[in-house]
Amino acid sequence: MEKPRQDWVGLANISFGFFGIQIGFALQNANMSRVFQSLGSSMDDLPALWVAAPLTGLLIQPVIGHMSDRTWLGRLGRRRPYFLAGAVLAALSLFLMPLSPVLLMAALLLWTLDASLNVSMEPFRAFVGDMLRKDQHTAGYAVQTAFIGAGAVVGSLFPYLLEHLGVANEAAPGVIPDTVRYSFWAGGVALFAAVLWTVVTTREYSPEELARFAEDDEAKAHAEVNLAERDSAAPFGWIVAGIAAGLVTMQFGLEKEVYLLAGLLVGYGLISHVAIRLARTGRPASMLTGIVGDFSGMPEIMKRLALVQFFSWSALFIMWINTTPIVAKDFFGSADPASAAYQEGGNWVGVLFSVYNGVAAIAALTLLPFLSRRFGKVRTHMFGLLCGAAGFASFFLIKDPTWLILSEVGIGIAWASILAMPYAILASSLPQAKLGIYMGLFNVFVVVPQLLVATVMGSIMKAFFPGEPIWTMAFAAGTLVLAALSMARVSVPAE
C-alpha cells in the first residue's frame, strides 16, 4: 500500500513552517556577530560566543528525533507537537534578544534561540519523509529548500529595509540599533505564524496507518544494533583522544575554545561506555542506549554522506561568523562596530545573505530538479558544492561590494544543494520507523564541523592571519572542494 500522492498545495503546507524557522535562523546568522560586537565583544571572541548555536543542535536534535519517533498525541500527531513548542520558545527568544543590556544575556539568549529553533527544525526533516512517498522525496525537499531560501531572504533583508524606511541604523556604544531590534520582533511573529500554519493545515498518519504502508515493511526488516556486543574498549579511544586534545591545547597555548572540543570527545566516550554497560544488564532499551546504538549502526550511505556534510557545513559556519567583519573591514573600510561604515557594511551583508538565499529558493525548484533528472543526485550535489567554492574564492578577486552579489549566486546554488540533495537521498534510503532519530543523528555531522570551526579557526587565524578575516574565505572554498570530492564516494542504488 502506497501513501497518497501530495499535490503542490500539500507539499507547500508540509514545509511552510520552515519559512518561519528560517526567518529566525537568518536573523541569527546575519546579525548575531553585529549584536555581540555592539555589546562589546572583540573579533577574537566571536567564535566562542557563536559556539552555543552548534552545541545546542548537537545535544538536542538526536534527542528530539528519538522522542518524535515514539510520540503520538492524538490529533496533534507525532512531529507537530515539537514544531509548536519550539516555535513558541524561539519567538520569545527573538523578542528578548534585542533587549539584551549586556553581552552575557545576548549569549544566553542565543543558546535558547538556537535550541528552540532546533526543536522545531529537526522534526520537519523527518516530517517530509513521513508524509511523502519515495518518488516525491526530491520534490518535497526541494519545496522545503525553497521555503528555507524565501524565509532567509525575508529575515536577512529586515534591517536593510527598515533603514530605508527611516528607522535608525546607528546607536550609542553598547546599544543595539533599532533596525536590528524591530527586525527580531517582526521575525518572532512571522516564525510563530508560519509554524502554526503547518500545524493547522496538515494531518499526520497515525501509527496504524503507517503500519499499512509498504514502506513500513522495510522498517520492520531493519536490523537493530546489539549494543551489548560492541567492543567495550572502543569508548576509551574517544576519551583518550579528548584528553590528548586538551593537553595539546595547554602545551601550545591554543585558543581556550579548543577545550570544549576536547570535552565533547571525552563526554561521548563516557556516554558510550555507560550505554554499553546498560545494554549488557539486559534492561529494556532506554533513550541513551537507543541513540548510541543507532549512531553506531548507521547505514553505509549515511556514513559516506556524513563526510560530505562535515566539509560542507564547515564552509557555511565560516561564512556566517566572518562575513560581516570581512565586508565591513575590506569593503567598507571600518572594523569599528560603533562606526556608521561598519553598520552600513552589516546591512549590506544582510542584502548579500538575502541574495544567496533567494538564489537557493529558485535553484531548488528549477536548476536542481533539472540536473538531478539528467545526471543524478550525486553529480548534481557535486556541481552545487563546486559552485559554492567558486563563490567563496571570488571574495579575493572582487573589490566593489556590489559585485559580491555574483559571489552569492554560487554560494546560493551550493546552499540549495546542501539543503536538498543529501536529505532526499537519505529519506529514500532509511527505514521509516527510524527516520526521526537518523535525521537527528545526521545533524551531528552538521554540528561537529561548526564546533570545530568555532574552536579551532580562531587559533589558526590568530597564528597565521592576525587581523585579516578575509582569509577564512579561502578555508571555506577549500572545504567545499573536499566536500565535492567526498561526494564521489556516495552511490545511490536507484541511479
Side-chain angles (χ1 to χ4, degrees):
M1 180 179 177
E2 289 281 357
K3 295 174 185 175
R5 190 173 185 83
Q6 295 281 348
D7 59 16
W8 283 102
V9 174
L11 292 176
N13 288 340
I14 287 169
S15 290
F16 187 71
F18 232 128
F19 173 75
I21 293 171
Q22 198 59 35
I23 288 177
F25 273 120
L27 286 168
Q28 170 184 298
N29 293 338
N31 294 284
M32 283 314 302
S33 288
R34 183 179 181 183
V35 168
F36 288 148
Q37 289 188 292
S38 294
L39 294 175
S41 170
S42 68
M43 178 68 193
D44 291 340
D45 289 334
L46 286 181
L49 292 167
W50 269 89
V51 79
L55 184 58
T56 51
L58 178 66
L59 299 174
I60 286 175
Q61 288 217 25
V63 172
I64 296 299
H66 177 90
M67 292 172 62
S68 69
D69 279 341
R70 291 158 174 76
T71 295
W72 183 254
L73 297 181
R75 294 181 63 183
L76 197 54
R78 172 182 291 103
R79 316 291 182 186
R80 291 180 298 164
Y82 299 94
F83 300 166
L84 199 56
V88 170
L89 294 173
L92 288 173
S93 300
L94 285 169
F95 180 81
L96 294 173
M97 179 70 74
L99 300 177
S100 302
V102 294
L103 186 60
L104 177 60
M105 180 176 177
L108 291 175
L109 281 171
L110 173 61
W111 196 294
T112 305
L113 172 61
D114 203 87
S116 305
L117 291 172
N118 274 285
V119 169
S120 282
M121 182 185 74
E122 197 286 330
F124 262 104
R125 296 293 192 193
F127 193 48
V128 173
D130 289 343
M131 300 296 291
L132 301 180
R133 42 198 285 167
K134 283 188 176 183
D135 60 0
Q136 284 196 295
H137 283 165
T138 298
Y141 285 106
V143 170
Q144 189 173 91
T145 298
F147 277 126
I148 290 171
V153 169
V154 173
S156 298
L157 279 178
F158 265 142
Y160 181 83
L161 294 176
L162 288 176
E163 182 191 11
H164 282 73
L165 291 174
V167 178
N169 190 50
E170 299 177 44
V175 178
I176 298 169
D178 284 345
T179 50
V180 177
R181 188 189 306 263
Y182 297 151
S183 295
F184 273 65
W185 292 343
V189 173
L191 185 155
F192 181 75
V195 171
L196 187 62
W197 178 272
T198 288
V199 171
V200 171
T201 60
T202 58
R203 184 190 73 83
E204 294 188 67
Y205 297 118
S206 69
E208 293 75 22
E209 288 174 306
L210 286 176
R212 291 197 296 267
F213 294 134
E215 291 178 356
D216 198 56
D217 292 337
E218 300 172 15
K220 294 176 182 177
H222 178 68
E224 295 288 338
V225 175
N226 189 345
L227 196 60
E229 295 179 357
R230 304 292 292 185
D231 183 0
S232 59
F236 294 102
W238 294 100
I239 296 172
V240 171
I243 293 173
L247 293 174
V248 169
T249 302
M250 183 185 303
Q251 178 67 31
F252 294 98
L254 301 180
E255 295 295 304
K256 58 185 179 298
E257 295 84 15
V258 183
Y259 284 115
L260 175 61
L261 189 63
L264 287 173
L265 293 172
V266 172
Y268 179 71
L270 292 173
I271 289 172
S272 297
H273 176 70
V274 171
I276 292 172
R277 292 290 298 272
L278 287 174
R280 289 178 175 176
T281 64
R283 298 176 186 173
S286 63
M287 180 186 298
L288 179 63
T289 57
I291 291 175
V292 173
D294 288 329
F295 187 78
S296 302
M298 287 187 298
E300 183 63 27
I301 192 170
M302 186 172 167
K303 294 177 181 178
R304 297 193 177 195
L305 281 169
L307 184 61
V308 179
Q309 291 290 87
F310 177 87
F311 290 124
S312 301
W313 285 85
S314 295
L316 293 171
F317 201 61
I318 287 171
M319 175 183 69
W320 290 329
I321 292 179
N322 295 289
T323 301
T324 295
I326 289 169
V327 171
K329 178 181 181 297
D330 290 271
F331 294 90
F332 285 82
S334 176
D336 179 8
S339 68
Y342 182 95
Q343 296 300 335
E344 186 180 358
N347 278 0
W348 185 243
V349 169
V351 175
L352 295 176
F353 279 19
S354 72
V355 169
Y356 89 72
N357 282 291
V359 169
I362 296 170
L365 294 178
T366 57
L367 180 63
L368 296 184
F370 173 82
L371 294 175
S372 182
R373 284 193 301 269
R374 282 158 179 76
F375 304 106
K377 297 182 184 72
V378 171
R379 291 181 181 176
T380 297
H381 193 36
M382 291 175 69
F383 169 78
L385 294 169
L386 292 174
C387 286
F392 286 124
S394 68
F395 268 70
F396 291 88
L397 304 175
I398 294 172
K399 304 302 178 185
D400 184 340
T402 303
W403 288 101
L404 289 175
I405 289 174
L406 293 178
S407 305
E408 300 302 320
V409 171
I411 294 169
I413 294 172
W415 179 229
S417 191
I418 290 167
L419 291 174
M421 305 319 287
Y423 295 99
I425 293 170
L426 276 183
S428 300
S429 306
L430 297 177
Q432 180 72 48
K434 288 183 173 288
L435 204 51
I437 180 59
Y438 277 140
M439 288 294 185
L441 290 172
F442 194 54
N443 186 64
V444 169
F445 304 101
V446 170
V447 171
V448 168
Q450 297 180 52
L451 288 171
L452 194 63
V453 169
T455 55
V456 174
M457 184 58 69
S459 296
I460 294 173
M461 294 303 297
K462 189 173 182 180
F464 298 104
F465 307 105
E468 296 294 337
I470 194 170
W471 284 99
T472 58
M473 290 299 175
F475 287 95
T479 56
L480 282 188
V481 171
L482 290 174
L485 294 174
S486 300
M487 193 64 195
R489 299 178 61 249
V490 177
S491 176
V492 180
E495 298 179 358

